Amino acid sequence: YDITRERRYLDFAKSIVAGIEREGSSQLIAKALKDVPVSQRSAYPASWWSFENGQKAYEMMSCYEGLIELGRVLDDPLYKEAAERTAERIRRDEINIAGSGAAFECWYGGKDKQTLPTYHTMETCVTFTYMQFCRRLWRDTGNPLYVEEFERTMYNALFASMKHDGGQISKYSPLEGRRQPGEEQCGMHINCCNANGPRGFALIPKMAVATKEDGIFLNLYVPMEATVKTGRKNAVALKVETDYPVNGKVSIGVEPQRDEHFKLSLRIPSQVDGAKAFVNGQEQEVLHRGGYLCLDRMWKRGDEVTLEFDLQTKVVKSYNHQAVVRGPLVFARDSRFDDGDVDECAVIRSDERGVVQAAVHENMSGSFAWITLEVPAVLGTDLEDAANKTARPVRFCDFASSGNDWAPKGRYKVWIPQTLHMMTEPYRKY
């Protein structure tokens, strides 16, 4: 309809929605407005791989993407509201620490179950479609929360799906275990995830920098050069130099073809513990994290913006398990470090804020990992030996690097069981 303006296409789209909302059908709009959890929007199917199964995560999000588009054409905010409410339920109930979710391709209340070993989790089709859903919602709302979700999924679940040589995409990328190719489908030597994984990588530049009516938005801090057009038919070249999220330093060169007054909005990630911003060396006020720093000024050739983010390594806990994070990155133990059993229980040492004093190494010589952390931890259940009472460095790597050789004998793990210590007060909650 957008291309041809022929009414029959719009009528067909509306008839699809009418079918969706019929009594006994999936009723995606009505259930979204009633805030029904996505894992409960369809009855448990008698046959899993059938049209009875309405919990399919990839397909459900795609339906809401279509509703957003229809709402835009009809100028009806109801469709976007249904999509936003659904995205919030997905984020709250389903998306795990690495930015993906689902098991056997379906929603299952997975965020609360992510510390449990689970069959067939984090299908790459779900990973990509969640990124696409977030990007479409950001385009229509400007809410930086969707960029933050996109970034977390990109650095962790998406990057983890690709084999280290770039030659293959995994069908599933669980939070523990190993990765491997998926089955061949439809008489071809590929499957759905081989097709959708690259689409996720192709979305990155589209989300990284974008324009709206109120100016230019820099959403992702990756090394890049981009040229964007302003509303006054001016071209602005942006050059971003950074090692983020290894460290928090970002340099942004701004080169308009001609001087122009416009707004440059820079996202300040909520995962950083502090942020500073400078324009040509002059410090700017950063009011809060998780939003945008809007620089509304006359821009000239040679202008430079610098950002300084405070990145700290932290431990997060869930159901007597621990995971290590740094900025948007999740980390995992990997058997290739050969520094103990990756499944062993441990107590990761941190302060009362959860901050871990970890050594950070990027691209260590001879290492398989992009980023390696040396995390202080007390391993195992034996405290009789005085030496074991002292934490020792245990190596973690970024989740994307963990298990990236797909070796059958390899193993990695994100959630580490926390050893119970009954002589401390917190044991009582267990």
Side-chain angles (χ1 to χ4, degrees):
Y1 175 74
D2 275 342
I3 294 169
T4 68
R5 313 312 292 180
E6 290 188 31
R7 182 78 189 188
R8 61 192 178 114
Y9 294 120
L10 183 58
D11 290 341
F12 182 40
K14 292 162 68 176
S15 74
I16 293 172
V17 175
I20 287 173
E21 292 302 302
R22 278 199 309 265
E23 185 69 30
S25 189
S26 54
Q27 295 186 309
L28 292 178
I29 298 173
K31 290 177 182 177
L33 298 178
K34 292 177 182 177
D35 203 30
V36 176
V38 290
S39 63
Q40 300 173 23
R41 293 187 184 181
S42 180
Y44 195 86
S47 174
W48 192 267
W49 307 115
S50 71
F51 291 115
E52 292 179 338
N53 193 338
Q55 302 304 105
K56 292 277 294 218
Y58 164 23
E59 290 81 349
M60 185 187 290
M61 287 187 286
S62 296
C63 288
Y64 283 106
E65 285 193 74
L67 289 171
I68 293 170
E69 291 300 303
L70 181 61
R72 179 183 57 79
V73 171
L74 297 177
D75 196 24
D76 188 337
L78 182 69
Y79 299 97
K80 185 172 72 173
E81 181 182 353
E84 285 194 89
R85 289 195 182 195
T86 298
E88 177 56 23
R89 290 265 22 169
I90 291 170
R91 187 184 71 86
R92 188 177 9 158
D93 299 341
E94 301 291 344
I95 299 302
N96 61 33
I97 193 171
S100 189
F104 285 107
E105 305 176 10
C106 293
W107 299 130
Y108 70 114
K111 184 174 185 177
D112 203 43
K113 303 178 180 71
Q114 63 181 298
T115 60
L116 298 173
T118 305
Y119 286 122
H120 286 191
T121 57
M122 295 173 61
E123 185 198 19
T124 300
C125 288
V126 175
T127 296
F128 154 70
T129 309
Y130 185 59
M131 292 173 65
Q132 181 170 258
F133 192 27
C134 287
R135 178 178 176 267
R136 197 175 298 265
L137 282 166
W138 177 81
R139 188 193 67 184
D140 281 26
T141 67
N143 186 343
L145 173 65
Y146 297 122
V147 184
E148 194 145 287
E149 287 296 292
F150 183 103
E151 179 185 57
R152 175 174 60 158
T153 304
M154 174 189 83
Y155 276 122
N156 298 294
L158 178 69
F159 284 8
S161 72
M162 179 176 283
K163 196 175 181 181
H164 68 94
D165 62 2
Q168 180 64 283
I169 295 287
S170 62
K171 197 166 193 290
Y172 301 104
S173 302
L175 295 176
E176 63 173 278
R178 56 177 290 256
R179 302 184 193 117
Q180 58 192 337
E183 79 281 14
E184 296 182 356
Q185 295 173 339
C186 306
M188 299 183 290
H189 297 301
I190 65 167
N191 57 57
C192 51
C193 295
N194 294 143
N196 276 326
R199 296 176 69 194
F201 287 93
L203 281 179
I204 295 171
K206 295 180 179 180
M207 180 60 107
V209 60
T211 57
K212 287 177 172 287
E213 295 79 5
D214 52 347
I216 300 171
F217 289 78
L218 192 56
N219 287 322
L220 302 176
Y221 299 111
V222 295
M224 67 176 169
E225 295 183 15
T227 300
V228 294
K229 299 292 182 66
T230 69
R232 298 182 181 179
K233 297 183 179 180
N234 196 9
V236 180
L238 299 175
K239 183 175 182 179
V240 180
E241 297 177 304
T242 183
D243 282 330
Y244 176 86
V246 179
N247 63 54
K249 296 183 178 180
V250 183
S251 173
I252 307 158
V254 184
E255 296 278 342
Q257 278 188 345
R258 60 177 184 276
D259 296 354
E260 183 180 342
H261 194 289
F262 61 85
K263 185 187 294 184
L264 176 62
S265 296
L266 308 174
R267 185 177 65 90
I268 307 299
S270 68
Q271 302 102 325
V272 303
D273 290 273
K276 293 182 179 181
F278 305 84
V279 177
N280 299 330
Q282 183 175 355
E283 187 166 3
Q284 310 294 304
E285 184 179 20
V286 179
L287 294 177
H288 58 84
R289 294 171 290 128
Y292 285 103
L293 170 63
C294 298
L295 302 174
D296 193 359
R297 65 190 299 276
M298 178 67 73
W299 294 94
K300 302 178 179 180
R301 293 178 67 86
D303 283 342
E304 183 179 29
V305 180
T306 53
L307 300 172
E308 296 177 4
F309 299 140
D310 180 15
L311 292 169
Q312 296 184 353
T313 304
K314 296 182 177 180
V315 62
V316 295
K317 298 183 179 183
S318 178
Y319 293 102
N320 206 43
H321 283 70
Q322 311 145 97
V324 176
V325 298
R326 180 178 171 83
L329 297 178
V330 177
F331 287 79
R333 293 193 69 182
D334 190 297
S335 57
R336 288 174 290 177
F337 284 128
D338 196 24
D339 60 354
D341 181 357
V342 299
D343 294 299
E344 188 173 19
C345 59
V347 174
I348 297 174
R349 288 286 170 83
S350 65
D351 65 17
E352 64 279 359
R353 299 171 299 150
V355 175
V356 178
Q357 297 301 316
V360 183
H361 306 285
E362 181 186 10
N363 295 322
M364 289 180 65
S365 177
S367 175
F368 60 87
W370 171 30
I371 303 170
T372 302
L373 300 181
E374 291 183 290
V375 175
V378 178
L379 298 175
T381 58
D382 179 17
L383 289 180
E384 290 296 316
D385 183 353
N388 284 331
K389 296 181 181 179
T390 304
R392 69 174 180 84
V394 177
R395 283 174 289 181
F396 285 68
C397 67
D398 58 288
F399 178 62
S401 294
S402 67
N404 64 358
D405 60 349
W406 297 16
K409 294 184 179 180
R411 182 162 173 79
Y412 64 87
K413 190 176 181 70
V414 168
W415 287 106
I416 309 301
Q418 181 172 345
T419 317
L420 184 62
H421 193 334
M422 69 154 297
M423 290 173 62
T424 61
E425 183 64 25
Y427 97 92
R428 299 177 187 276
K429 66 183 178 180
Y430 303 119

